[in-house]
Amino acid sequence: MVRVLSALVLSVVAALPTAPPAGPVEAVIDQEMPASGVPGVAYAVVTDGEITAAGARGVMEAGGDAAVTPDTPFLSGSISKSFTALAVMQLVEAGRVDLDAPVSRYLDTFTGTPAGVVTIRQLLSHTSGFSTLQGNADRGASEAYESDGTDALQRRVQALADVAPDSPPGTTWQYSNLNYVILGRLVEVLSGQDYQSYVTAMILEPVGMTHSVVADGEVHDSMATGHTPWFWTKRPLTGNPTDRGTAPQGGIVASATDLARYLQMMMNGRDDVVSAASKTMMMQPAGDLSPFYGFGWFVDTADGTVWHSGTSPGFESLATMIPDEGKAAVVLVNGGSGVGFGETAQLRNAVTAAALGMDYDGEGSRLPQQLLFLGLLLLPLAYLVSMVWAWRHRGAVRAKSEAGLPGLFSLWFPLLTTVVAGWVVVALVPDLLGAPLATIRVFQPDLALALVATALTGVIWAVFRLVVAYTGRPASG
């Protein structure tokens, strides 16, 4: 046990963050990539409206020798929301969509439902009332949520008909994937095409994104393999599939150079894929309820940045623009973040800061997160040791059953506390994180396993003590 604890302490010390270096992007990658644990990273930089740098490091899959390049497609995650917002704005300009019309005007699925009064503007700006937890919920392996078939998005949205917003529409801001799933279906209905075909023809091809696709339920060999955190390492996703049903919220598969072309288009001030006025609207706060989010983009009016990050199983990304300066950067990694260990935020943010000439002080100490994760790993071991102790001292444990109220309290109260603690660990904590346990299992399988192990072993320990206490003959005095 001493050796295990020593190894864990050394792991914490080794993972403590250091100040990110100033200087070229490549120097930043040299310093930050090892701590992130990602197999590969790709980036591209726009300066004065032109792509001035692009690079990559690492491999498409851990253990392989296929190198990542600036043209390697990665799953971009929630950067995809800006593509969906752009598609909606194209339909607005074509006179097919009124931003302040209720969604039920366009999608019969929502006629007469609580969500039917939500407007298109509210969906775009995350003021619909749908919560983060609702957007991250795993709704089971039902037919509606199967990712294959050109009707995948239709089935997914139809399954939302009875899901009421968590708050009254137009009263609060809360980021929710549901908003953009619904908007994706809106694009399908009004265009008469599936989401994949529309976005490919109306955005990817006009922008010149030749190394990009929209998630279509297929496996694409040219795409980097995603890796999820697994106890200080990252393991590759089996099959590396794409999901049609979540494409509008996070399914644009794009290379760093292609996303740089996309950011160029967003900042060029010209009427092309969509009007310059619509681009400006997308990159400005959507209203008083949404002072830091436009349509598909986060907005920081203090430093003039417009940005969006992306988190998908096995992938993380960051796209940042400074429109007034014609500067932008995109960073893609094929590894998801662990808890305190193997996080990618400092790599992505440090590369972005170096590329754009911005100040960045690092993510700060991750020690609390690291200790939390280590605690979740050590608690099950502690419970197992306690069970061994209870068996070796079973005479004393059995004596508690005949020791009156204090003895009974000593035996039964731990069962209550461990059941409550188990509920907190597997139900309340995930809710506070904005994602149910099933979703955490997809993004951070090691954390999900640690949570379940902690909850179960605590209850098993309490039950084991009771079994020992009430079975067998008490030890003789």
Side-chain angles (χ1 to χ4, degrees):
M1 178 63 74
V2 172
R3 291 182 179 179
V4 172
L5 289 174
S6 298
L8 293 176
V9 170
L10 289 174
S11 297
V12 171
V13 173
L16 288 175
T18 57
V25 169
E26 293 293 334
V28 171
I29 294 176
D30 285 338
Q31 177 165 323
E32 301 299 339
M33 188 173 175
S36 74
V38 298
V41 57
Y43 69 91
V45 182
V46 177
T47 308
D48 294 327
E50 300 295 332
I51 298 177
T52 54
R57 192 79 62 82
V59 293
M60 292 175 61
E61 181 172 348
D65 55 9
V68 171
T69 76
D71 290 326
T72 299
F74 288 67
L75 188 58
S76 67
S78 287
I79 294 174
S80 307
K81 290 180 172 65
S82 68
F83 286 77
T84 301
L86 187 62
V88 171
M89 294 308 295
Q90 289 176 332
L91 296 171
V92 169
E93 292 186 350
R96 300 182 189 179
V97 173
D98 178 348
L99 287 174
D100 295 309
V103 67
S104 58
R105 176 185 296 183
Y106 307 107
L107 300 181
D108 293 341
T109 296
F110 295 102
T111 300
T113 70
V117 299
V118 174
T119 68
I120 308 306
R121 189 186 301 273
Q122 289 166 348
L123 292 170
L124 287 165
S125 60
H126 292 297
T127 57
S128 65
F130 286 118
S131 69
T132 300
L133 182 61
Q134 286 178 308
N136 290 335
D138 178 0
R139 303 184 188 281
S142 66
E143 181 180 350
Y145 280 80
E146 293 177 357
S147 63
D148 59 343
T150 56
D151 64 341
L153 188 55
Q154 177 184 355
R155 286 184 278 110
R156 189 163 296 225
V157 171
Q158 285 176 337
L160 299 175
D162 297 327
V163 178
D166 191 57
S167 303
T171 61
T172 186
W173 188 93
Q174 191 166 176
Y175 187 91
S176 182
N177 286 324
L178 288 192
N179 294 322
Y180 278 77
V181 169
I182 295 169
L183 288 169
R185 179 57 184 158
L186 175 76
V187 171
E188 289 191 330
V189 169
L190 295 183
S191 70
Q193 305 177 61
D194 61 70
Y195 179 84
Q196 288 72 16
S197 298
Y198 181 89
V199 171
T200 299
M202 300 299 292
I203 301 177
L204 301 188
E205 291 178 355
V207 172
M209 299 178 69
T210 56
H211 295 92
S212 302
V213 297
V214 184
D216 54 7
E218 303 296 329
V219 174
H220 297 270
D221 293 336
S222 63
M223 172 180 157
T225 298
H227 297 72
T228 51
W230 188 249
F231 304 108
W232 295 279
T233 66
K234 297 192 193 296
R235 60 181 184 180
L237 294 173
T238 302
N240 208 37
T242 59
D243 184 351
R244 294 185 69 97
T246 59
Q249 73 186 48
I252 299 298
V253 180
S255 69
T257 49
D258 277 1
L259 283 171
R261 293 185 183 97
Y262 176 68
L263 301 184
Q264 278 182 295
M265 178 275 299
M266 287 299 301
M267 298 188 299
N268 66 16
R270 297 196 297 265
D271 298 341
D272 39 43
V273 175
V274 74
S275 71
S278 289
K279 296 175 191 177
T280 299
M281 180 182 293
M282 291 175 64
M283 297 189 292
Q284 290 181 341
D288 292 341
L289 278 177
S290 185
F292 42 77
Y293 200 88
F295 292 169
W297 290 103
F298 284 95
V299 180
D300 189 333
T301 55
D303 62 11
T305 58
V306 178
W307 62 276
H308 216 299
S309 59
T311 302
S312 301
F315 295 90
E316 294 187 353
S317 59
L318 179 62
T320 308
M321 296 178 282
I322 308 179
D324 289 345
E325 300 179 17
K327 297 163 62 175
V330 59
V331 186
L332 308 172
V333 299
N334 60 340
S337 291
V339 178
F341 301 96
E343 295 182 346
T344 79
Q346 184 150 307
L347 170 63
R348 290 178 289 129
N349 289 333
V351 168
T352 299
L356 300 180
M358 301 174 64
D359 293 332
Y360 177 59
D361 296 327
E363 295 301 299
S365 174
R366 310 307 291 166
L367 186 59
Q369 291 82 356
Q370 293 165 348
L371 292 177
L372 171 63
F373 187 65
L374 293 175
L376 289 172
L377 297 183
L378 290 174
L379 270 174
L381 296 177
Y383 283 128
L384 291 174
V385 170
S386 296
M387 283 189 277
V388 172
W389 185 95
W391 177 250
R392 294 184 63 179
H393 298 81
R394 53 191 177 275
V397 174
R398 287 168 178 162
K400 293 178 182 290
S401 64
E402 300 177 354
L405 186 60
L408 294 175
F409 180 84
S410 175
L411 285 174
W412 286 92
F413 186 68
L415 178 61
L416 173 63
T417 58
T418 54
V419 168
V420 172
W423 171 78
V424 169
V425 168
V426 301
L428 182 59
V429 169
D431 282 0
L432 292 175
L433 293 175
L437 187 61
T439 300
I440 294 175
R441 186 180 296 115
V442 174
F443 286 80
Q444 296 177 307
D446 54 350
L447 174 60
L449 180 60
L451 290 170
V452 171
T454 296
L456 287 180
T457 53
V459 175
I460 291 171
W461 164 73
V463 171
F464 180 80
R465 292 176 73 249
L466 291 172
V467 171
V468 170
Y470 290 101
T471 59
R473 296 182 62 184
S476 59

